[in-house]
Amino acid sequence: MNQIGHIIGGKTVSSGASTPVFNPATGEQSGAVASGGAAEIDAAVAAATAAFPAWAATTPARRARVMYEMRRLMEARKDELARAISAEHGKTHSDALGEIARGQEVVEFACGIPHLLKGSFSANVATSMDSFDQRQPLGVVAGITPFNFPVMVPLWMMPMALACGNAFILKPSERDPSAPNLLWALWREAGLPDGVLNVVHGGKPAVDAILDHPGIAAVSFVGSTPIAQYVYGRGCAAGKRVQALGGAKNHLVVMPDADLDQAADALMGAGYGSAGERCMAVSVAVPVGEKTADALVARLKPRVQALKIGPATDAGAEMGPLVTAAHRDKVAGYIAAGEQQGAELVVDGRGLSLQGYEKGYWLGGTLLDRVTTDMTVYQEEIFGPVLSVVRVPDYAAAVGMINAHPFGNGTAIFTRDGDAARDFTQSIQVGMVGVNVPIPVPVGTHSFGGWKASIFGSHGVYGPESVHFYTKLKTVTARWPTGIRGGAQFTFPSS
Ligand code: NAD
């Protein structure tokens, strides 16, 4: 059985308590992960604090070289990383490779850190006086991440936090902790000094210890909305800089003029890829007009019924199991609630069993039609392979409905009409918008972040926003002695 320990100051440390880790495809326990609390966070902060000054003093160009090497190592070891992800998360191998590639983009962006940290300079802001600004690292910062992207989401944070000169403590999800430990090993091989990156495993006690620790300057969180809100409130109350990204309910609008085959393809991938366990998964299809709705549902139904579901070792599988038995049962409960509240159950994924994998956490693709906004399946994030169709009479009704939803992570419109598309991008109250693009996750040179209950805090993750989040601004105003004449000045300085 795989024993997964914390990594503190470059050493693997196991605390007494541990949590079981399961293979979702077989339902069998595959390992046990150490469960840390205040003592482990104290030790990690001590290691990070000791490592921080030398790392902060390392030139940005040298820090960038670690990023280049990390990029190379990730490329060389991506299959191993992908297998580690799939074994504990359940997603298909190709999907795990996709997550790795998107995390790698952030490492690539961090390679440009010498350029990104360039300050601005103004000569002669007053007589013989110049002004320049610089961005300095915060110190020890922490990241708390969810189960659904055990490599990509830590990489939304680590590369830029480290490239900016901070020391980092990662608290990954307790459900799939092996891949984050492997990531740490790659960072070390890439040349990151011991103590600059530490991994502490665990649940609420570890999170609370991070939020309360006076030695941690900032916290990045990605997970569900109730926990994001809690992390933001408690972290800010302790005087930290906090960014906390939460849950989602992403709508995809299908206009009457859209290419319906393209829209159906998009809904299949975005609704059922990774078994719907993505914060940017599309969980609501919004066809405009009854004719569009009938034609769309007719295309989706046979495809949902034919979804290829299997373990990550099956190269033909389009989606895998859900992450835990409890989560599978919760998603099945939403399907029951949808049916009970009057939705039309077009395809029911409950009761799926796979030969040889009878104890796995399987749930087939599910399609609900004629869902209305008062139903639980519409209001709450399901985080499973369940697509709801909400029929609307016109474009204005689609926009009004999306803008009234408490979540605002991602959305998309499928249309050939440039006016409608442009109006949508301008008026929709959502942070990441796709035009004929179902999962508009920004590339590494832009930043990621939703609106409304999908984010707490004022900075998105990775991209340019992360330079601001992981550094503090210092502005220097300088005059050399030859310029200082004329005695004391008691009025407020002006140019
Ligand atoms: P989660 O909120 O249960 O867990 C996230 C992290 O918080 C984990 O590290 C977990 O150990 C910790 N945690 C859990 N319960 C806690 C508690 N009571 N107190 C303190 N810490 C606690 O989320 P999850 O189930 O791992 O991930 C799925 C959720 O993450 C979904 O809601 C999904 O939308 C969201 N998500 C959001 C984004 C985004 O960018 N907005 C990206 C990925 C996932």
Side-chain angles (χ1 to χ4, degrees):
M1 182 136 351
N2 192 9
Q3 299 292 335
I4 304 142
H6 315 292
I7 301 164
I8 299 174
K11 295 193 175 60
T12 302
V13 180
S14 288
S15 48
S18 69
T19 312
V21 178
F22 295 90
N23 177 336
T26 61
E28 269 150 26
Q29 187 178 347
S30 58
V33 60
S35 195
E40 289 74 17
I41 294 296
D42 270 348
V45 174
T49 305
F52 169 68
W55 180 244
T58 301
T59 63
R62 283 178 193 274
R63 295 201 297 258
R65 277 174 213 144
V66 175
M67 305 296 144
Y68 280 109
E69 184 58 7
M70 179 61 176
R71 197 218 166 270
R72 192 190 66 76
L73 287 169
M74 282 183 70
E75 193 57 35
R77 308 268 292 274
K78 63 185 177 192
D79 277 315
E80 185 188 346
L81 257 180
R83 280 194 298 274
I85 295 170
S86 297
E88 293 173 358
H89 176 284
K91 67 176 71 175
T92 63
H93 189 70
S94 58
D95 194 28
L97 288 173
E99 121 161 49
I100 292 165
R102 294 310 300 264
Q104 219 172 0
E105 274 180 16
V106 185
V107 180
E108 286 163 3
F109 184 71
C111 291
I113 199 66
H115 172 73
L116 293 166
L117 286 181
K118 270 196 313 203
S120 58
F121 180 89
S122 302
N124 274 335
V125 289
T127 306
S128 300
M129 192 185 281
D130 306 323
S131 196
F132 64 94
D133 55 44
Q134 52 182 292
R135 302 209 71 99
Q136 296 192 334
L138 302 179
V140 178
V141 302
I144 302 163
T145 54
F147 81 84
N148 64 323
F149 287 108
V151 164
M152 183 183 78
V153 173
L155 288 176
W156 282 359
M157 306 169 181
M158 290 170 178
M160 286 305 292
L162 296 169
C164 287
N166 300 284
F168 196 87
I169 300 170
L170 175 70
K171 204 304 284 173
S173 169
E174 56 275 51
R175 296 182 208 158
D176 41 18
S178 291
N181 274 20
L182 184 50
L183 259 190
W184 173 86
L186 297 186
W187 279 112
R188 185 191 220 195
E189 208 178 320
L192 199 67
D194 285 347
V196 174
L197 174 64
N198 305 275
V199 185
V200 176
H201 296 285
K204 183 172 167 53
V207 171
D208 287 348
I210 288 171
L211 298 175
D212 297 343
H213 203 295
I216 296 176
V219 176
S220 300
F221 172 91
V222 176
S224 60
T225 286
I227 312 296
Q229 194 164 13
Y230 166 76
V231 163
Y232 186 74
R234 189 157 169 168
C236 288
K240 297 179 199 318
R241 191 178 284 196
V242 185
Q243 54 179 184
L245 282 72
K249 194 81 184 171
N250 306 315
H251 301 67
L252 188 150
V253 178
V254 183
M255 294 293 284
D257 68 345
D259 177 334
L260 284 185
D261 291 318
Q262 193 186 62
D265 275 346
L267 284 165
M268 289 305 298
Y272 302 101
S274 202
E277 291 172 326
R278 291 178 181 147
C279 67
M280 290 290 278
V282 171
S283 52
V284 188
V286 189
V288 173
E290 286 296 318
K291 215 172 125 200
T292 313
D294 290 343
L296 187 70
V297 172
R299 280 169 172 77
L300 289 172
K301 181 178 175 180
R303 298 187 62 173
V304 179
Q305 286 167 327
L307 265 171
K308 295 190 193 96
I309 300 166
T313 46
D314 173 358
E318 292 167 328
M319 65 177 236
L322 295 193
V323 68
T324 60
H327 186 56
R328 188 263 321 273
D329 295 345
K330 185 175 170 198
V331 176
Y334 275 115
I335 300 169
E339 198 179 17
Q340 203 185 1
Q341 290 169 15
E344 187 184 319
L345 189 52
V346 181
V347 184
D348 185 356
R350 290 172 295 180
L352 177 76
S353 176
L354 256 68
Q355 202 178 1
Y357 294 91
E358 286 78 5
K359 291 194 197 139
Y361 313 138
W362 306 104
L363 185 69
T366 296
L367 184 62
L368 293 165
D369 193 7
R370 301 185 189 279
V371 169
T372 52
T373 55
D374 54 343
M375 293 180 189
T376 318
V377 284
Y378 177 75
Q379 290 168 351
E380 296 182 13
E381 180 180 42
I382 298 175
F383 222 58
V386 181
L387 181 65
S388 297
V389 178
V390 180
R391 297 170 174 236
V392 293
D394 51 35
Y395 168 75
V399 171
M401 180 174 82
I402 296 169
N403 286 349
H405 203 287
F407 290 119
N409 215 37
T411 190
I413 185 167
F414 273 63
T415 183
R416 292 183 170 103
D417 178 345
D419 279 347
R422 187 166 191 284
D423 183 80
F424 190 77
T425 59
Q426 296 305 303
S427 55
I428 210 73
Q429 300 297 303
V430 173
M432 292 170 284
V433 184
V435 175
N436 299 315
V437 172
I439 308 183
V441 174
V443 295
T445 45
H446 289 253
S447 299
F448 181 109
W451 284 13
K452 299 189 273 185
S454 296
I455 199 166
F456 301 86
S458 47
H459 289 93
V461 288
Y462 68 81
E465 295 261 301
S466 61
V467 180
H468 283 209
F469 184 76
Y470 289 125
T471 59
K472 49 195 172 191
L473 177 69
K474 181 178 280 177
T475 307
V476 179
T477 306
R479 179 157 65 185
W480 293 96
T482 47
I484 304 172
R485 293 286 183 275
Q489 181 187 334
F490 294 96
T491 53
F492 196 67
S494 72
S495 55

